[in-house]
Amino acid sequence: MIIAMKAGATDDQIDHICNRIREFGYTPHVIRGAERTVIAAVGHGDKKEHIESLKSAEGVEDAFPILQPFKLVSREIKPKTAIKIGDVTLGDGGFVVMAGPCSVETREQLMTTAEAVAAAGAKLLRGGAYKPRTSPYDFQGLEENGLKLLAEARERTGLKVITEVVNTADVELVAEYADVLQVGARNMQNFALLKKLGAVRKPVMLKRGLSATIKEFLLSAEYIVSHGNPDVMLCERGIRTFETATRNTLDLAAVPLLNELSHLPVVVDPSHGTGKRSLVRPLARAAVAVGADGLMTEVHPWPEQAWSDGPQSLRPEEFAEMMNEIEPYVGLRKRE
Ligand code: PEP
Ligand code: MN
Protein backbone atom coordinates (compact mmCIF):
# COMPACT_ATOMS: atom_id res chain seq x y z
CA MET A 1 0.00 0.00 0.00
CA ILE A 2 0.98 3.64 -0.31
CA ILE A 3 0.87 6.05 2.59
CA ALA A 4 0.99 9.64 1.39
CA MET A 5 2.17 11.91 4.20
CA LYS A 6 0.91 15.48 4.59
CA ALA A 7 3.18 18.18 3.15
CA GLY A 8 4.48 19.23 6.60
CA ALA A 9 4.77 15.75 8.14
CA THR A 10 7.58 15.50 10.71
CA ASP A 11 10.35 12.88 10.84
CA ASP A 12 8.81 11.52 14.04
CA GLN A 13 5.47 11.01 12.28
CA ILE A 14 7.22 9.27 9.37
CA ASP A 15 9.16 7.02 11.78
CA HIS A 16 5.96 6.19 13.62
CA ILE A 17 4.24 5.13 10.39
CA CYS A 18 7.25 3.01 9.42
CA ASN A 19 7.06 1.24 12.79
CA ARG A 20 3.33 0.60 12.40
CA ILE A 21 3.96 -0.78 8.91
CA ARG A 22 6.56 -3.19 10.31
CA GLU A 23 4.19 -4.26 13.10
CA PHE A 24 1.61 -5.11 10.44
CA GLY A 25 4.21 -7.29 8.70
CA TYR A 26 5.11 -5.11 5.71
CA THR A 27 8.44 -3.54 4.77
CA PRO A 28 8.42 0.27 4.59
CA HIS A 29 10.26 2.14 1.81
CA VAL A 30 10.40 5.89 2.38
CA ILE A 31 10.34 7.96 -0.81
CA ARG A 32 11.07 11.64 -0.17
CA GLY A 33 9.73 13.94 -2.88
CA ALA A 34 10.24 17.67 -3.32
CA GLU A 35 6.95 18.48 -1.61
CA ARG A 36 5.88 15.45 0.36
CA THR A 37 6.99 12.06 1.55
CA VAL A 38 5.36 8.86 0.41
CA ILE A 39 5.86 5.55 2.19
CA ALA A 40 5.41 2.33 0.25
CA ALA A 41 4.52 -0.63 2.44
CA VAL A 42 5.37 -3.81 0.62
CA GLY A 43 4.29 -7.27 1.71
CA HIS A 44 1.61 -9.87 1.17
CA GLY A 45 -1.75 -8.30 0.39
CA ASP A 46 -2.84 -4.83 1.42
CA LYS A 47 -5.29 -5.52 4.27
CA LYS A 48 -8.21 -3.12 4.54
CA GLU A 49 -7.94 -2.79 8.31
CA HIS A 50 -4.25 -1.87 8.02
CA ILE A 51 -5.04 0.80 5.43
CA GLU A 52 -7.82 2.24 7.59
CA SER A 53 -5.63 2.28 10.68
CA LEU A 54 -2.76 4.06 8.88
CA LYS A 55 -5.16 6.56 7.31
CA SER A 56 -6.13 7.86 10.72
CA ALA A 57 -2.55 8.30 12.00
CA GLU A 58 -1.00 11.73 12.65
CA GLY A 59 0.60 13.35 9.60
CA VAL A 60 -1.06 11.01 7.08
CA GLU A 61 -2.91 12.51 4.14
CA ASP A 62 -4.13 9.26 2.60
CA ALA A 63 -3.45 5.52 2.37
CA PHE A 64 -4.44 3.25 -0.50
CA PRO A 65 -3.47 -0.12 -2.03
CA ILE A 66 -0.91 -0.43 -4.85
CA LEU A 67 -2.79 -2.13 -7.65
CA GLN A 68 0.11 -3.32 -9.82
CA PRO A 69 2.04 -6.53 -9.02
CA PHE A 70 5.25 -4.48 -9.17
CA LYS A 71 5.11 -2.03 -6.31
CA LEU A 72 8.22 0.11 -5.79
CA VAL A 73 8.75 0.69 -9.51
CA SER A 74 5.10 1.49 -10.15
CA ARG A 75 4.12 4.95 -11.31
CA GLU A 76 1.43 4.86 -8.61
CA ILE A 77 4.26 5.72 -6.19
CA LYS A 78 5.77 8.72 -7.91
CA PRO A 79 5.80 10.39 -11.32
CA LYS A 80 9.45 9.94 -12.29
CA THR A 81 12.86 8.89 -11.01
CA ALA A 82 15.87 10.95 -11.98
CA ILE A 83 19.15 9.04 -11.71
CA LYS A 84 22.40 10.88 -11.07
CA ILE A 85 25.52 9.46 -12.70
CA GLY A 86 28.06 11.99 -11.43
CA ASP A 87 27.17 15.23 -13.19
CA VAL A 88 24.92 13.45 -15.72
CA THR A 89 21.22 12.99 -14.91
CA LEU A 90 18.92 10.52 -16.61
CA GLY A 91 15.15 10.93 -16.28
CA ASP A 92 14.95 14.65 -15.52
CA GLY A 93 13.52 15.59 -18.90
CA GLY A 94 16.93 15.82 -20.59
CA PHE A 95 18.31 13.24 -22.98
CA VAL A 96 21.36 11.05 -22.38
CA VAL A 97 23.23 9.08 -25.02
CA MET A 98 25.47 6.10 -24.22
CA ALA A 99 27.71 4.86 -27.00
CA GLY A 100 30.72 2.68 -27.62
CA PRO A 101 31.80 -0.67 -28.95
CA CYS A 102 29.99 -3.91 -28.29
CA SER A 103 33.20 -5.34 -26.77
CA VAL A 104 36.29 -3.66 -25.41
CA GLU A 105 38.95 -5.06 -27.77
CA THR A 106 42.14 -2.99 -27.70
CA ARG A 107 43.34 0.30 -26.20
CA GLU A 108 43.45 1.90 -29.65
CA GLN A 109 39.94 0.75 -30.52
CA LEU A 110 38.46 1.94 -27.23
CA MET A 111 40.24 5.32 -27.04
CA THR A 112 39.45 6.13 -30.67
CA THR A 113 35.79 5.33 -30.09
CA ALA A 114 35.61 7.14 -26.74
CA GLU A 115 37.10 10.34 -28.14
CA ALA A 116 34.78 10.28 -31.15
CA VAL A 117 31.57 9.67 -29.20
CA ALA A 118 32.51 12.26 -26.56
CA ALA A 119 33.12 14.85 -29.29
CA ALA A 120 29.70 14.07 -30.79
CA GLY A 121 27.92 14.60 -27.44
CA ALA A 122 27.63 11.15 -25.80
CA LYS A 123 27.74 11.26 -22.00
CA LEU A 124 28.46 7.61 -21.27
CA LEU A 125 30.88 5.17 -22.83
CA ARG A 126 29.60 1.63 -23.23
CA GLY A 127 31.78 -1.42 -23.81
CA GLY A 128 31.56 -5.02 -22.73
CA ALA A 129 34.46 -6.47 -20.75
CA TYR A 130 32.42 -9.57 -19.90
CA LYS A 131 30.46 -10.76 -22.92
CA PRO A 132 27.47 -13.11 -22.73
CA ARG A 133 28.00 -14.75 -26.14
CA THR A 134 25.58 -17.20 -27.72
CA SER A 135 28.45 -19.47 -28.74
CA PRO A 136 31.13 -20.58 -26.25
CA TYR A 137 33.68 -20.35 -29.11
CA ASP A 138 33.14 -16.61 -29.60
CA PHE A 139 35.20 -13.87 -27.89
CA GLN A 140 34.18 -13.74 -24.24
CA GLY A 141 35.67 -10.36 -23.28
CA LEU A 142 38.91 -8.97 -21.82
CA GLU A 143 37.49 -9.15 -18.29
CA GLU A 144 39.39 -7.02 -15.74
CA ASN A 145 41.80 -5.72 -18.39
CA GLY A 146 38.75 -4.46 -20.28
CA LEU A 147 37.49 -2.71 -17.15
CA LYS A 148 40.89 -1.03 -16.76
CA LEU A 149 40.75 0.24 -20.33
CA LEU A 150 37.26 1.64 -19.71
CA ALA A 151 38.54 3.47 -16.62
CA GLU A 152 41.43 4.85 -18.67
CA ALA A 153 38.99 6.08 -21.34
CA ARG A 154 36.94 7.79 -18.61
CA GLU A 155 40.07 9.58 -17.38
CA ARG A 156 40.89 10.70 -20.89
CA THR A 157 37.45 11.86 -22.04
CA GLY A 158 35.37 12.56 -18.93
CA LEU A 159 32.74 10.09 -20.19
CA LYS A 160 31.03 7.98 -17.54
CA VAL A 161 31.30 4.22 -18.01
CA ILE A 162 28.52 1.65 -18.38
CA THR A 163 29.49 -2.00 -18.65
CA GLU A 164 27.83 -5.36 -18.22
CA VAL A 165 28.16 -7.64 -15.24
CA VAL A 166 27.42 -11.21 -16.27
CA ASN A 167 28.24 -13.12 -13.10
CA THR A 168 27.12 -12.64 -9.53
CA ALA A 169 30.72 -13.29 -8.43
CA ASP A 170 31.98 -10.28 -10.44
CA VAL A 171 29.56 -7.65 -9.08
CA GLU A 172 32.04 -6.03 -6.64
CA LEU A 173 34.83 -5.92 -9.19
CA VAL A 174 32.68 -4.42 -11.95
CA ALA A 175 31.20 -1.91 -9.48
CA GLU A 176 34.74 -0.71 -8.65
CA TYR A 177 35.25 0.41 -12.24
CA ALA A 178 31.80 1.15 -13.67
CA ASP A 179 29.58 4.20 -13.14
CA VAL A 180 26.54 2.17 -14.25
CA LEU A 181 26.26 -1.63 -14.15
CA GLN A 182 24.42 -3.23 -17.03
CA VAL A 183 22.35 -6.40 -16.74
CA GLY A 184 22.12 -8.01 -20.15
CA ALA A 185 18.98 -9.39 -21.76
CA ARG A 186 20.08 -12.96 -21.06
CA ASN A 187 20.33 -12.21 -17.35
CA MET A 188 17.11 -10.26 -16.91
CA GLN A 189 15.69 -13.04 -14.77
CA ASN A 190 18.91 -14.04 -13.02
CA PHE A 191 17.33 -13.32 -9.66
CA ALA A 192 20.51 -13.98 -7.65
CA LEU A 193 22.29 -11.32 -9.72
CA LEU A 194 19.37 -8.88 -9.40
CA LYS A 195 19.28 -9.30 -5.62
CA LYS A 196 23.01 -8.73 -5.37
CA LEU A 197 22.71 -5.53 -7.46
CA GLY A 198 20.18 -4.31 -4.91
CA ALA A 199 23.06 -3.89 -2.47
CA VAL A 200 25.26 -1.95 -4.90
CA ARG A 201 25.48 1.84 -4.50
CA LYS A 202 25.70 2.49 -8.25
CA PRO A 203 22.92 2.77 -10.84
CA VAL A 204 21.90 -0.32 -12.78
CA MET A 205 20.63 -0.54 -16.34
CA LEU A 206 18.36 -3.56 -16.76
CA LYS A 207 17.90 -4.77 -20.33
CA ARG A 208 14.67 -6.44 -21.34
CA GLY A 209 14.90 -10.20 -21.75
CA LEU A 210 14.71 -11.75 -25.21
CA SER A 211 11.16 -12.91 -24.67
CA ALA A 212 10.18 -11.05 -21.54
CA THR A 213 6.78 -9.44 -21.13
CA ILE A 214 6.55 -5.90 -19.77
CA LYS A 215 5.25 -7.31 -16.48
CA GLU A 216 8.21 -9.69 -16.16
CA PHE A 217 10.57 -6.83 -17.05
CA LEU A 218 9.13 -4.57 -14.34
CA LEU A 219 9.10 -7.38 -11.78
CA SER A 220 12.81 -7.90 -12.46
CA ALA A 221 13.40 -4.19 -11.85
CA GLU A 222 11.37 -4.60 -8.65
CA TYR A 223 13.89 -7.23 -7.46
CA ILE A 224 16.72 -4.70 -7.61
CA VAL A 225 14.76 -1.83 -6.06
CA SER A 226 13.21 -3.95 -3.30
CA HIS A 227 16.69 -5.16 -2.37
CA GLY A 228 17.80 -1.60 -1.72
CA ASN A 229 18.93 0.06 -4.96
CA PRO A 230 16.42 2.66 -6.24
CA ASP A 231 18.57 3.74 -9.21
CA VAL A 232 17.37 1.41 -11.94
CA MET A 233 16.93 2.35 -15.60
CA LEU A 234 15.05 0.13 -18.04
CA CYS A 235 16.40 -0.64 -21.50
CA GLU A 236 14.21 -1.79 -24.40
CA ARG A 237 16.56 -3.72 -26.73
CA GLY A 238 14.15 -5.65 -28.91
CA ILE A 239 12.35 -8.91 -28.38
CA ARG A 240 12.31 -12.15 -30.31
CA THR A 241 9.42 -12.56 -32.74
CA PHE A 242 8.74 -14.60 -35.90
CA GLU A 243 10.52 -11.91 -37.93
CA THR A 244 14.01 -12.83 -39.09
CA ALA A 245 14.75 -9.84 -41.33
CA THR A 246 15.91 -7.97 -38.24
CA ARG A 247 17.93 -9.43 -35.34
CA ASN A 248 15.12 -8.55 -32.91
CA THR A 249 11.85 -6.65 -33.10
CA LEU A 250 12.34 -3.32 -31.38
CA ASP A 251 9.20 -2.84 -29.29
CA LEU A 252 8.82 0.92 -29.32
CA ALA A 253 5.33 0.69 -27.82
CA ALA A 254 7.15 -0.47 -24.70
CA VAL A 255 8.54 3.04 -24.20
CA PRO A 256 5.30 4.98 -23.63
CA LEU A 257 3.86 1.91 -21.92
CA LEU A 258 6.75 1.72 -19.44
CA ASN A 259 6.36 5.46 -18.90
CA GLU A 260 2.69 4.88 -18.11
CA LEU A 261 3.35 2.00 -15.73
CA SER A 262 6.61 2.97 -14.05
CA HIS A 263 8.57 5.98 -12.80
CA LEU A 264 11.91 4.49 -13.87
CA PRO A 265 13.82 6.12 -16.75
CA VAL A 266 13.66 4.32 -20.10
CA VAL A 267 16.59 3.84 -22.49
CA VAL A 268 16.32 2.36 -26.01
CA ASP A 269 19.02 0.30 -27.70
CA PRO A 270 18.34 0.36 -31.47
CA SER A 271 21.62 -1.50 -32.18
CA HIS A 272 20.64 -4.83 -30.60
CA GLY A 273 17.02 -3.94 -31.36
CA THR A 274 17.60 -4.20 -35.12
CA GLY A 275 21.02 -5.79 -35.69
CA LYS A 276 21.44 -3.62 -38.78
CA ARG A 277 23.52 -0.44 -39.07
CA SER A 278 21.14 1.11 -41.62
CA LEU A 279 18.20 0.84 -39.19
CA VAL A 280 19.89 2.26 -36.12
CA ARG A 281 19.51 5.95 -36.97
CA PRO A 282 15.82 5.83 -38.00
CA LEU A 283 14.95 3.82 -34.90
CA ALA A 284 17.00 6.16 -32.71
CA ARG A 285 14.90 9.09 -33.94
CA ALA A 286 11.72 7.13 -33.33
CA ALA A 287 12.84 6.16 -29.82
CA VAL A 288 13.36 9.79 -28.90
CA ALA A 289 10.01 10.76 -30.39
CA VAL A 290 8.08 8.20 -28.32
CA GLY A 291 9.52 9.51 -25.07
CA ALA A 292 12.73 7.65 -24.20
CA ASP A 293 15.04 9.27 -21.63
CA GLY A 294 18.16 7.98 -23.33
CA LEU A 295 19.71 5.89 -26.07
CA MET A 296 22.40 3.25 -26.16
CA THR A 297 24.12 2.65 -29.49
CA GLU A 298 27.10 0.60 -30.57
CA VAL A 299 29.91 2.49 -32.31
CA HIS A 300 33.13 1.06 -33.72
CA PRO A 301 35.86 2.87 -35.66
CA TRP A 302 36.30 -0.14 -37.99
CA PRO A 303 33.05 -2.17 -37.87
CA GLU A 304 34.26 -4.68 -40.48
CA GLN A 305 37.01 -5.71 -38.05
CA ALA A 306 34.87 -5.72 -34.88
CA TRP A 307 35.22 -8.78 -32.64
CA SER A 308 31.45 -8.69 -32.02
CA ASP A 309 28.37 -6.99 -33.50
CA GLY A 310 30.15 -5.18 -36.36
CA PRO A 311 27.06 -5.25 -38.65
CA GLN A 312 25.04 -3.16 -36.21
CA SER A 313 27.84 -0.78 -35.15
CA LEU A 314 27.77 2.79 -36.41
CA ARG A 315 30.99 4.37 -37.66
CA PRO A 316 31.96 7.47 -35.65
CA GLU A 317 30.83 9.84 -38.42
CA GLU A 318 27.45 8.05 -38.62
CA PHE A 319 27.11 8.38 -34.87
CA ALA A 320 27.78 12.13 -35.11
CA GLU A 321 25.06 12.32 -37.79
CA MET A 322 22.69 10.44 -35.52
CA MET A 323 23.33 12.94 -32.72
CA ASN A 324 22.44 15.82 -35.05
CA GLU A 325 19.35 14.01 -36.32
CA ILE A 326 17.87 13.27 -32.90
CA GLU A 327 18.22 16.79 -31.57
CA PRO A 328 14.96 18.21 -32.98
CA TYR A 329 13.08 15.19 -31.63
CA VAL A 330 14.45 15.81 -28.13
CA GLY A 331 12.74 19.20 -28.15
CA LEU A 332 9.46 17.70 -29.34
CA ARG A 333 9.23 14.93 -26.77
CA LYS A 334 6.05 14.64 -24.81
CA ARG A 335 5.49 12.34 -21.85
CA GLU A 336 1.96 10.98 -21.60
C1 PEP B 1 25.14 -5.51 -24.85
O1 PEP B 1 24.53 -4.43 -24.73
O2 PEP B 1 26.36 -5.58 -24.84
C2 PEP B 1 24.39 -6.77 -24.99
C3 PEP B 1 24.99 -7.95 -24.91
O3 PEP B 1 23.08 -6.58 -25.24
P1 PEP B 1 21.83 -7.54 -24.85
O4 PEP B 1 22.06 -8.01 -23.46
O5 PEP B 1 20.68 -6.60 -25.00
O6 PEP B 1 21.80 -8.63 -25.87
MN1 MN C 1 26.59 -6.04 -28.85
Side-chain angles (χ1 to χ4, degrees), residues 9 11 44 46-47 130 166 176 198 205 216 220 238 267 276 279:
D11 285 347
H44 296 291
D46 288 344
K47 287 225 177 76
Y130 296 85
V166 175
E176 265 178 48
M205 186 171 86
E216 288 163 344
S220 286
V267 174
K276 270 187 167 35
L279 300 180

Side-chain angles (χ1 to χ4, degrees), residues 100-103 126 131 133 182 207 247 269 271-272 298 308-310 312-313:
C102 179
S103 305
R126 65 144 287 143
K131 294 304 301 176
R133 303 305 299 279
Q182 176 174 321
K207 298 191 87 174
R247 179 175 177 179
D269 170 357
S271 305
H272 294 89
E298 287 186 338
S308 59
D309 287 350
Q312 67 192 34
S313 299

Side-chain angles (χ1 to χ4, degrees), residues 209-255:
L210 274 68
S211 58
T213 64
I214 294 291
K215 183 173 154 190
E216 288 163 344
F217 190 17
L218 288 170
L219 283 169
S220 286
E222 184 85 9
Y223 262 93
I224 306 172
V225 178
S226 65
H227 281 81
N229 187 349
D231 291 334
V232 177
M233 55 195 92
L234 305 166
C235 179
E236 165 57 43
R237 47 77 73 204
I239 47 175
R240 185 161 284 183
T241 67
F242 57 83
E243 183 56 76
T244 53
T246 45
R247 179 175 177 179
N248 291 293
T249 298
L250 187 64
D251 180 12
L252 284 182
V255 178

Side-chain angles (χ1 to χ4, degrees), residues 5 8-18 30 32 37 39:
M5 302 301 291
T10 64
D11 285 347
D12 279 351
Q13 288 170 337
I14 293 169
D15 286 349
H16 173 71
I17 297 298
C18 289
V30 179
R32 288 177 198 273
T37 297
I39 305 169

Side-chain angles (χ1 to χ4, degrees), residues 163 165 171 174-175 178-183 197 200 202-205:
T163 194
V165 57
V171 167
V174 176
D179 299 296
V180 181
L181 286 89
Q182 176 174 321
V183 178
L197 289 167
V200 169
K202 295 237 168 125
V204 173
M205 186 171 86

